[in-house]
Amino acid sequence: MSRRDAVATAGAVRSGATDAATVTEQAIARIEKDNPRLGAVVHTRFDAARAEVAAGLPDGPLHGVPVLVKDLGTDVAGLPATSGSRLFATATARHDSELVARYRRAGAVVLGTTNTPEFGLNASTEPALFGPTRNPWDTERSPGGSSGGSAAAVAAGMVPVAHAGDGGGSIRIPAAACGLFGLKPSRGRVSPAPRPTTLSGLVSVHHALTTTVRDSALLLDVAAGPLPGDAYAAPAPAAPFSELARRDPGRLRIGLLTALPEGPEVHPECAQAARAAALLCEHLGHDVTETTARYRPGDVAATSAVLMGADLVAQIESRLTALGRHLADDDIEPFTRVVYDTYRALAAADVSRALRRAQEIGWETGAAFDHFDVLLSPTLARPTPLLGTLDTAVPETIYRHASVSSAFTSVYNVTGMPAMSVPFGRDSRGLPLGVQFGAPLGAEGTLLALAAQLEAEAPWDTAP
């Protein structure tokens, strides 16, 4: 099975070593072979993709590269847009989202959409609508969430890259669980058009899951940039991200976090991965100092919950209005119903307070960057769980486990700062571990350059 990354795939097509039709058929064959076992892909458009290839693809940087798109917050024209929910099971996208349109203009071949937990509310991808996605490293384990379908597809080699979204760790958590590279860009780096998401968009951003740093940088070059009228935009990069990823990041001041105030107990294997990454950073010439977090995970989670919860209520009620009926008992999962009922009665003043608190958390966390260029931590506080550990049919289990999954990741959503999960070692079961690096708003170039250093020094084994 070919494990070319996207850059190599586009290069091979461009050079004539292969062609887009062959690459497309190989990806389709891999999906048809592995998806019944993994449940990563939920909707396909194989014939439409073949027709697009036959008609001629744009000669862009992704020419001939097969991709998959997460079925949450990003639309592929003609495919269902379910958000992993039975309430939206019959919804069909009329138009491509701007991100998908940019992929297509760059020459990518969109083959379908990937599984996601209902409305992205779970850190494991196990929606009632489609059933669970399984981790290619161990099919009894979770691939993470909410971009678990995309992560499983890339880790299994179905496609070299896949779109993902991150509202509390949803790129970085599955990256860690599946041994991939996952960068969450800065707030406003990628336009959410045409879906207005002013509240949830404060914490949620789109990008991708990849096996290499250069793929992530290239996809960000393709996807980045605001549309006129976007509610917010990230600072413009000093150069294309593909170029920034190749630059020497200089001698970085790195703060090491292996515990959180009032946070969950961190598993020794996760903490050790971060310490091992710190040693490698020192070997590369960076200065590493142990530090303490300036935020409490519970405070971050409560703030994020209001912003995401308010948007969830709006989504559900807009759908019910379109359907012309009231919410039925089996429309949404039990945990989603708890969230909906909780935030349906939310006062405007509560939303304002959450927005104010999000700004305060941003300033509190941002103060660390007076002393450090980058913060290093485990991505996950615990190793990858078994499927069923986070069960939306039993809301208490979500509340008990979800905060553990996002303890280190969610702060970068509330603050809007970029962060990445880098594959780093294996746990005692042989499953991947990830370490997280976070940086100030707009500093994706620093993160990509550091990741490229780490990748070159200790090449990643991303294939199960």
Side-chain angles (χ1 to χ4, degrees):
M1 177 179 70
S2 171
R3 296 292 288 190
R4 288 192 190 108
D5 70 356
V7 171
T9 299
V13 173
R14 196 170 293 112
S15 71
T18 186
D19 56 65
T22 298
V23 172
T24 298
E25 292 302 330
Q26 289 171 341
I28 290 171
R30 291 193 292 266
I31 293 170
E32 290 178 334
K33 174 180 176 290
D34 291 332
N35 199 57
R37 177 174 63 95
L38 298 176
V41 181
V42 291
H43 297 290
T44 61
R45 55 185 307 278
F46 295 159
D47 287 342
R50 289 176 173 122
E52 289 162 3
V53 171
L57 299 168
D59 187 21
L62 295 177
H63 182 79
V65 176
V67 302
L68 292 164
V69 176
K70 179 181 177 181
D71 182 20
L72 178 66
T74 303
D75 294 336
V76 177
L79 288 187
T82 72
S83 299
S85 176
R86 291 169 293 191
L87 181 60
F88 284 80
T90 60
T92 300
R94 296 182 180 179
H95 308 285
D96 286 339
S97 289
E98 177 62 19
L99 173 61
V100 175
R102 291 180 183 187
Y103 282 174
R104 289 188 194 274
R105 289 196 293 269
V109 181
V110 179
L111 294 181
T113 55
T114 60
N115 204 11
T116 180
E118 185 170 54
F119 300 112
L121 294 180
N122 195 352
S124 184
T125 302
E126 308 176 44
L129 178 61
F130 296 117
T133 297
R134 299 181 178 277
N135 192 318
W137 291 84
D138 178 349
T139 55
E140 297 302 311
R141 299 278 165 180
S142 170
S146 63
S147 305
S150 289
V154 174
M158 297 181 192
V159 289
V161 295
H163 159 261
D166 194 314
S170 293
I171 289 175
R172 291 156 289 154
I173 291 169
C178 293
L180 301 173
F181 179 68
L183 171 68
K184 182 205 87 72
S186 295
R187 174 181 297 151
R189 179 66 70 200
V190 178
S191 176
R195 294 196 179 206
T197 56
T198 301
L199 280 180
S200 67
L202 289 172
V203 296
S204 183
V205 66
H206 296 283
H207 186 34
L209 285 154
T210 68
T211 61
T212 62
V213 175
R214 67 180 188 174
D215 273 5
S216 188
L218 174 60
L219 283 167
L220 197 55
D221 282 329
V222 168
L227 284 181
D230 279 356
Y232 28 77
F241 291 109
S242 295
E243 179 182 332
L244 295 174
R246 294 192 296 269
R247 291 183 180 179
D248 185 340
R251 186 168 186 158
L252 299 175
R253 302 166 300 163
I254 299 176
L256 172 62
L257 296 167
T258 57
L260 295 171
E262 301 178 32
E265 181 179 353
V266 178
H267 192 281
E269 292 180 330
C270 298
Q272 180 53 36
R275 293 191 187 97
L279 289 174
L280 179 55
C281 288
E282 287 182 329
H283 171 73
L284 290 167
H286 304 298
D287 297 318
V288 181
T289 305
E290 288 208 46
T291 188
T292 55
R294 297 169 182 250
Y295 69 93
R296 297 185 305 276
D299 190 19
V300 172
T303 302
S304 179
V306 172
L307 302 179
M308 300 293 279
D311 191 71
L312 174 72
V313 172
Q315 288 183 66
I316 290 174
E317 294 189 346
S318 293
R319 177 63 172 165
L320 293 173
T321 297
L323 294 173
R325 63 174 178 80
H326 298 292
L327 189 65
D329 289 342
D330 62 351
D331 277 337
I332 54 179
E333 298 169 16
F335 176 67
T336 304
R337 184 61 188 252
V338 169
V339 175
Y340 173 72
D341 288 342
T342 298
Y343 294 103
R344 184 172 49 170
L346 197 66
D350 291 330
V351 175
S352 179
R353 278 188 282 270
L355 291 168
R356 289 169 179 262
R357 185 65 190 124
Q359 176 61 91
E360 291 170 348
I361 292 169
W363 286 328
E364 292 165 4
T365 305
F369 296 112
D370 291 337
H371 309 284
F372 301 110
D373 301 300
V374 173
L375 293 176
L376 163 62
S377 72
T379 305
L380 298 172
R382 309 262 175 87
T384 304
L386 289 165
L387 287 168
T389 302
L390 291 95
D391 186 356
T392 59
V394 186
E396 294 80 6
T397 70
I398 300 295
Y399 284 115
R400 185 164 65 250
H401 294 289
S403 61
V404 175
S405 300
S406 61
F408 285 101
T409 58
S410 189
V411 67
Y412 293 106
N413 298 89
V414 169
T415 63
M417 299 173 186
M420 64 183 181
S421 182
V422 175
F424 212 90
R426 303 280 180 265
D427 65 17
S428 57
R429 300 186 308 271
L431 298 178
L433 290 169
V435 295
Q436 177 180 247
F437 295 86
L441 189 73
E444 290 96 325
T446 299
L447 293 178
L448 288 164
L450 175 58
Q453 275 193 331
L454 297 170
E455 182 184 29
E457 185 70 19
W460 304 330
D461 178 15
T462 56

